[in-house]
Amino acid sequence: MSFIMNLNSQQRKRLHQITLVTTFGGLLFGYDTGVINGAFTSLKKYMALTPDTEGLVMGVLLMGAAIGSVFGGKLADYAGRRTYLLWLSFIFFFGAIISAMAPNITVLLLARFLLGYAVGGASVTAPTFISEVAPTEMRGRLTGLNEVAIVFGQLLAFAINAVIGIIWGHLPEIWRYMLLVQGIPAVCLFIGMWRAPESPRWLISKNRHQEALAILKQIRPLERAQKELDDIVTLLKTEEDKKLSARNTFATMISTPWIIKLLVVGIIWAALQQTTGVNVIMYYGTEILSNAGFSERTSLICNVLNGVFSVGGILFGVLYLVDRFQRKTIIVWGFALMAILHLVIAGADYMLVGEFKATAIWLLGAIFVGVMQSTMGFITWVVLAELFPLKFRGISMGIAVFFMWVMNATVSYLFPLLQASLGLGPVFLIFAAINFIAIGFVIAWLPETANKSLEQLEQELSSEGNYPGNMVKESGYDR
């Protein structure tokens, strides 16, 4: 019998409510990164953007996200997952208002940086919160829902931009309407998190055991709630015995070999995920289609297909793949399929012309997005949320996601420059080469985290000889 069937109706409802509310952080992540896609055409004309300043407008949000991810992990450890997400809802809201009212590019860049900080904080805190609330049997699926919310947020941004473009496309400052809509999901996040409980694992780490047990009883059968509390308490006491205290977290991390090795693996893994090229399509899709031969309005409408394939892919991955296959199996196949599609897109750019070329790139790009989201997209956050030990989960995820955002910002800033100088085909050939190299890293160094409780995983990874690289045969990637 599945775990969910062991819950009464009230417990089942509460677990789903908590997960759904937390994913609003992911929805804002997706909406705020995707909304600029359709707004760029109007914004470029209004503020006379060059390829360099266009990349800056996109990149500054991602650099803000890099900063937000680092501070987000530490602040979420200090204040609590729920409390920090409440703070972020205010930043999301005011960032949206300021960006929509920006009189010049300087104010717009400042507002985009502010939004980026909130995006980065949510990208760390939301999946951490969900992974700490979710039962072991459902952790992959529930944590993956945060990625579903991200891509749904991007689809929502594409669709709303297309509607705004069709209705008010004649207005010179239409980009302001597009950016203003960002404030709506921020209000929803605040209302939802106000009614949500705190993470029980975080409460236990602060010695608030009774509060944690009360929350666990809301989302677990009674006996299991008590056992889970005892397991977490035991693990924390073991860490204290090993002097893995949080008094000097970073110093402890860098002086503990197995944690440092996990952190390095997490950083490289997070950065590699951004070299798939998916964000080039999700951030610049409308422009790519315009340059390929579609009109501005057609590009806005066709870009919605990228969002549809993104959501469809992530749903397929979360509902079908994540609990049926090992994490590494999904990742390796994902990298391989995406690299092949990169080569095909580059070939279409070299060999085709006119609307046939535009249509081919449009459809190939949508398929590529679907493949990426059904494999790599959600698995990245699942693995990061599972990889690090409890005492250091917040700060470790913050550091790893910082490098993820730095790589995202680098790729997003360079794309307009590289496309202007090299063309679309050569850029996708570069992506293909990087993706083939990434397969080797995943096989050799990334630990397998599927089908294990967070506490069991931590015990295995901290055991001598179970460092990343020594676990390849045990973890496997072949089923």
Side-chain angles (χ1 to χ4, degrees):
M1 183 179 292
S2 66
F3 169 81
I4 198 69
M5 296 301 293
N6 290 325
L7 299 177
N8 62 43
S9 60
Q10 192 63 32
Q11 290 170 333
R12 207 159 34 235
K13 179 180 178 182
R14 187 62 169 152
L15 179 60
H16 291 157
Q17 283 177 340
I18 295 169
T19 304
L20 180 63
V21 165
T22 308
T23 57
F24 268 98
L27 184 112
L28 276 157
F29 173 166
Y31 199 96
D32 288 7
T33 54
V35 69
I36 201 68
N37 188 326
F40 258 136
T41 303
S42 170
L43 185 61
K44 283 173 68 175
K45 295 175 182 177
Y46 184 83
M47 293 192 176
L49 300 182
T50 64
D52 182 61
T53 52
E54 180 182 358
L56 190 60
V57 168
M58 188 66 247
V60 72
L61 181 141
L62 303 173
M63 287 307 299
I67 302 298
S69 65
V70 170
F71 286 101
K74 188 65 176 176
L75 289 172
D77 281 347
Y78 172 77
R81 320 314 191 199
R82 170 188 174 272
T83 302
Y84 192 57
L85 285 169
L86 280 171
W87 294 350
L88 291 177
S89 67
F90 283 99
I91 300 176
F92 274 121
F93 181 77
F94 288 109
I97 299 301
I98 295 170
S99 65
M101 298 175 64
N104 52 54
I105 191 170
T106 302
V107 175
L108 178 62
L109 291 176
L110 289 173
R112 295 275 294 167
F113 182 85
L114 192 65
L115 283 167
Y117 178 90
V119 165
S123 72
V124 173
T125 310
T128 299
F129 189 5
I130 295 173
S131 73
E132 293 180 349
V133 171
T136 301
E137 301 91 333
M138 301 174 64
R139 192 177 63 241
R141 183 171 297 180
L142 292 182
T143 305
L145 286 177
N146 188 65
E147 182 67 20
V148 174
I150 293 172
V151 298
F152 182 74
Q154 290 177 327
L155 170 60
L156 204 59
F158 299 162
I160 291 175
N161 282 354
V163 171
I164 292 174
I166 292 170
I167 298 175
W168 296 294
H170 60 286
L171 299 177
E173 297 182 50
I174 189 175
W175 59 272
R176 295 190 189 277
Y177 297 86
M178 294 178 176
L179 299 186
L180 186 62
V181 178
Q182 296 172 104
I184 297 174
V187 174
C188 295
L189 176 63
F190 174 80
I191 294 172
M193 289 311 302
W194 186 262
R195 302 186 62 185
E198 185 52 84
S199 160
R201 280 181 168 82
W202 180 83
L203 289 170
I204 294 169
S205 73
K206 301 300 180 182
N207 293 317
R208 294 161 63 178
H209 295 184
Q210 291 305 311
E211 294 176 63
L213 182 59
I215 293 169
L216 283 171
K217 287 179 178 177
Q218 296 177 25
I219 54 177
R220 303 282 195 276
L222 182 59
E223 291 184 4
R224 175 157 175 172
Q226 184 62 56
K227 184 180 184 305
E228 196 165 313
L229 175 73
D230 294 340
D231 288 345
I232 299 169
V233 170
T234 300
L235 179 63
L236 290 174
K237 286 181 178 178
T238 301
E239 289 179 348
E240 290 174 1
D241 291 341
K242 293 179 180 179
K243 297 183 179 180
L244 294 178
S245 69
R247 293 176 185 173
N248 194 349
T249 305
F250 188 72
T252 302
M253 287 173 61
I254 63 175
S255 63
T256 308
W258 70 273
I259 296 178
I260 276 293
K261 291 186 178 183
L262 278 180
L263 182 61
V264 171
V265 168
I267 288 170
I268 296 174
W269 162 240
L272 279 175
Q273 190 261 359
Q274 294 300 317
T275 64
T276 62
V278 68
N279 285 330
V280 164
I281 293 178
M282 301 309 281
Y283 299 161
Y284 298 102
T286 303
E287 282 199 272
I288 290 173
L289 295 177
S290 295
N291 293 336
F294 283 149
S295 68
E296 181 179 330
R297 178 169 291 190
T298 301
S299 298
L300 265 176
I301 296 171
C302 288
N303 186 59
V304 176
L305 186 68
N306 292 330
V308 172
F309 270 67
S310 184
V311 172
I314 199 74
L315 287 174
F316 177 76
V318 170
L319 298 177
Y320 178 76
L321 296 179
V322 68
D323 291 327
R324 285 178 170 84
F325 299 93
Q326 297 281 63
R327 310 287 194 242
K328 291 174 70 170
T329 303
I330 298 172
I331 293 167
V332 168
W333 277 101
F335 268 127
L337 290 172
M338 286 185 291
I340 292 170
L341 283 167
H342 288 147
L343 296 176
V344 177
I345 291 172
D349 184 62
Y350 279 117
M351 300 173 63
L352 303 179
V353 294
E355 286 197 2
F356 188 51
K357 171 183 174 179
T359 303
I361 290 177
W362 169 45
L363 294 176
L364 287 169
I367 294 170
F368 162 70
V369 168
V371 169
M372 191 277 175
Q373 296 295 8
S374 66
T375 55
M376 291 279 295
F378 73 97
I379 282 288
T380 300
W381 300 101
V382 172
V383 170
L384 286 177
E386 294 173 338
L387 192 61
F388 302 116
L390 175 62
K391 278 282 189 179
F392 309 95
R393 189 169 297 142
I395 189 172
S396 298
M397 276 200 70
I399 294 171
V401 176
F402 169 81
F403 284 95
M404 176 191 291
W405 286 113
V406 169
M407 181 61 76
N408 191 343
T410 302
V411 172
S412 300
Y413 173 74
L414 290 176
F415 175 73
L417 301 175
L418 291 175
Q419 185 185 30
S421 59
L422 301 177
L424 186 67
V427 174
F428 273 82
L429 288 177
I430 294 171
F431 284 136
I434 295 173
N435 281 205
F436 280 125
I437 292 170
I439 293 174
F441 166 80
V442 171
I443 293 173
W445 288 98
L446 191 68
E448 182 57 66
T449 60
N451 303 318
K452 299 171 183 177
S453 72
L454 296 179
E455 290 70 40
Q456 178 187 358
L457 220 116
E458 183 171 337
Q459 289 174 348
E460 290 183 4
L461 292 172
S462 63
S463 299
E464 188 173 353
N466 278 349
Y467 298 140
N470 297 336
M471 299 179 65
V472 175
K473 291 182 180 179
E474 178 182 345
S475 62
Y477 66 94
D478 58 347
R479 75 175 179 86

